[in-house]
Amino acid sequence: MNEELPRDLRPDTLAVHTGIHRSEANEMSEGMFLTQGYAYDSAEQARDAFAGEIDIYMYSRYANPTVTAFEERLAAIEGAESCFATSTGMAAVFVSLASILGQGDRLVASKSLFGSTLQTFANFFDKWGIEIDYVDATDPAAWESALATPAKAVFIESPTNPMQDVLDIPRIADLSHAAGALLIVDNVFATAIGQKPAQLGADAVVYSATKHIDGQGRVLGGAIVGSSEYVDGPVKLMIRNMGATISPFNAWVLLKGLETLSVRVRHQAASALSLAQWLEAHPKVSVARYPLLPSHPQHELAAAQMTLGGTLVTLDLAVGDGVDVAGPEAQAAAFRFMNALRLFTCSNNLGDAKSISTHPATTTHNKMSPEGRAEVGISETTVRLSIGLEDVEDLRADLDQALALV
Ligand SMILES: *Cc1c(COP(=O)(O)O)cnc(C)c1O
């Protein structure tokens, strides 16, 4: 952080004024340090750096000035002690847990998690002897009973992908701490602007920076934010040595993304709320899920812990009585809708400036069994919409003409 900055600045100000370390050129926009390594002034300095007696840049797998700038800026926005950037969001998810879990340790996780997170747990954590218990995301009694037994870590997402279930972060934090566990929250859907899990009791927050932090669909990246004991301890040790480091180029793109994150996300969230209200009243929509809609099952909780409802709206299309929502006819209706959209591009990214439509059952959640999908509420009629920066009235008109084909 720039030493001369006044204290107690708000996140929108910190987003443009932290992480600035000007070179002798006094550049206005942050420099990009595309360098793998650093020169030592002398053999003695190299010796002292390797001995840990001085803290200087040594090798970009360990640290890089552009990456440091991104980490400082994200930590400031989050109000956290420390941040470590990673090559992707999945690297952040993986390291946030793998750096603290060992054979015989117990991990308690929500059932509703990002597809690759579940794949990582099932294919790797499981075979490494980590005991994993999955909990129904929105069932308070299930969290209570799962966390009546000691655990090392608890991992959740809120809101969840794609069904937008909202988990009670303060309650789960209390239960986690009583069980001796660290609570780690994947905050991608809510964003750092719409929800501050650390202020709600979470110990660490992970991001896929690929989503809203870039916000223009260019680069992959991730970050782990939390206490310096955790981030500068096991997290840093693992990333530095196993190599899930972010490239300085990607870090620079994301650093600049943080400057506009707040205005983008606020605009997108306002459009998402407006479209969700309109969609839930549309005859071709059976359910529109958005955390800040009064019809959302955890609406009060969402209003208490989120300052924005996020940039995604999840729909179930009304395909008609007697049509099996898990069958081919329902899928055909969803595909007709998606293929007719002109402003919503069919893709699986989210948080982009461009609006996106996704069919979870056949893409992001295709590895899940049909029963597993049904359990979390995903059917063939489910379509996830990521609301971009277009004019909301153009988006509404586009959705309206495509819904006519359902
Ligand atoms: C995209 C995403 C990830 C993974 O991020 P990548 O950058 O694609 O590796 C993790 N969690 C959630 C909720 C995501 O949306």
Side-chain angles (χ1 to χ4, degrees):
M1 163 125 48
N2 186 334
E3 302 288 317
E4 299 99 72
L5 283 179
R7 294 184 176 276
D8 65 35
L9 292 173
R10 294 166 179 82
D12 286 6
T13 310
L14 294 168
V16 284
H17 286 286
T18 41
I20 294 175
H21 305 277
R22 292 197 166 99
S23 77
E24 61 276 18
N26 244 345
E27 63 281 356
M28 184 65 191
S29 175
E30 297 75 1
M32 191 198 298
F33 290 84
L34 286 182
T35 181
Q36 137 280 313
Y38 308 85
Y40 300 100
D41 292 341
S42 62
E44 288 80 1
Q45 192 190 35
R47 175 197 62 201
D48 295 347
F50 273 81
E53 284 160 15
I54 52 170
D55 187 15
I56 56 172
Y57 289 107
M58 297 166 67
Y59 189 53
S60 285
R61 174 151 47 76
Y62 293 5
N64 168 284
T66 313
V67 175
T68 302
F70 169 63
E71 291 166 342
E72 288 179 356
R73 191 168 285 180
L74 181 55
I77 293 171
E78 197 79 28
E81 274 176 10
S82 194
C83 170
F84 208 93
T86 55
S87 53
T88 63
M90 279 316 302
V93 169
F94 176 79
V95 171
S96 74
L97 292 164
S99 65
I100 54 169
L101 293 174
Q103 189 176 12
D105 284 337
R106 182 164 176 262
L107 166 66
V108 175
S110 161
K111 266 185 205 166
S112 303
L113 290 174
F114 187 68
S116 293
T117 302
L118 290 171
Q119 289 284 317
T120 301
F121 292 176
N123 293 306
F124 300 99
F125 283 15
D126 206 37
K127 91 176 165 198
W128 294 337
I130 295 162
E131 192 195 321
I132 310 171
D133 285 320
Y134 294 96
V135 179
D136 190 342
T138 57
D139 179 354
W143 283 105
E144 230 152 88
S145 88
L147 290 169
T149 312
K152 191 83 179 260
V154 176
F155 192 89
I156 62 171
E157 275 171 37
S158 181
T160 63
N161 176 28
M163 300 317 283
Q164 313 242 29
D165 289 330
V166 175
L167 282 72
D168 189 339
I169 298 175
R171 180 76 187 126
I172 295 171
D174 286 347
L175 293 169
S176 302
H177 298 150
L182 281 189
L183 173 62
I184 301 167
V185 178
D186 179 334
N187 202 35
V188 166
F189 265 48
T191 82
I193 308 303
Q195 178 170 270
K196 296 270 195 292
Q199 291 174 11
L200 300 167
D203 300 286
V205 181
V206 298
Y207 285 106
S208 166
T210 315
K211 311 293 166 53
H212 304 84
I213 294 178
D214 177 336
Q216 293 170 69
R218 297 163 295 189
V219 301
L220 297 165
I224 302 173
V225 190
S227 69
S228 55
E229 187 191 347
Y230 167 71
V231 174
D232 301 322
V235 164
K236 191 173 185 173
L237 181 69
M238 183 172 230
I239 299 171
R240 283 183 161 195
N241 292 296
M242 55 79 88
T245 315
I246 193 170
S247 95
F249 177 82
N250 288 11
W252 184 85
V253 171
L254 299 170
L255 172 70
K256 301 308 282 181
L258 286 177
E259 293 187 349
T260 57
L261 177 68
S262 176
V263 278
R264 285 185 287 106
V265 167
R266 285 176 207 285
H267 180 97
Q268 288 168 279
S271 298
L273 175 61
S274 163
L275 292 173
Q277 284 163 338
W278 173 78
L279 282 163
E280 82 170 337
H282 197 288
K284 293 292 182 67
V285 173
S286 68
V287 186
R289 283 187 198 75
Y290 187 72
L292 295 187
L293 280 185
S295 59
H296 188 283
Q298 296 97 35
H299 171 253
E300 264 177 51
L301 178 61
Q305 68 186 25
M306 302 175 78
T307 51
L308 295 172
T311 65
L312 291 117
V313 181
T314 307
L315 304 179
D316 279 337
L317 298 168
V319 289
D321 292 342
V323 175
D324 176 11
V325 294
E329 223 182 309
Q331 183 184 96
F335 283 13
R336 275 198 305 281
F337 167 67
M338 289 177 61
N339 291 336
L341 289 167
R342 297 178 191 123
L343 297 178
F344 288 78
T345 308
C346 177
S347 181
N348 43 280
N349 190 22
L350 60 94
D352 198 288
K354 296 177 174 70
S355 289
I356 290 169
S357 70
T358 310
H359 190 248
T362 54
T363 61
T364 54
H365 290 68
N366 74 336
K367 302 269 184 323
M368 233 182 190
S369 65
E371 300 74 39
R373 283 196 293 269
E375 209 177 310
V376 294
I378 302 170
S379 79
E380 292 291 341
T381 72
T382 308
V383 177
R384 188 187 78 187
L385 299 174
S386 169
I387 309 303
L389 289 171
E390 301 91 342
D391 189 299
V392 67
E393 296 314 327
D394 289 335
L395 295 178
R396 201 185 316 272
D398 191 34
L399 291 166
D400 201 30
Q401 62 82 23
L403 283 168
L405 300 179
V406 169

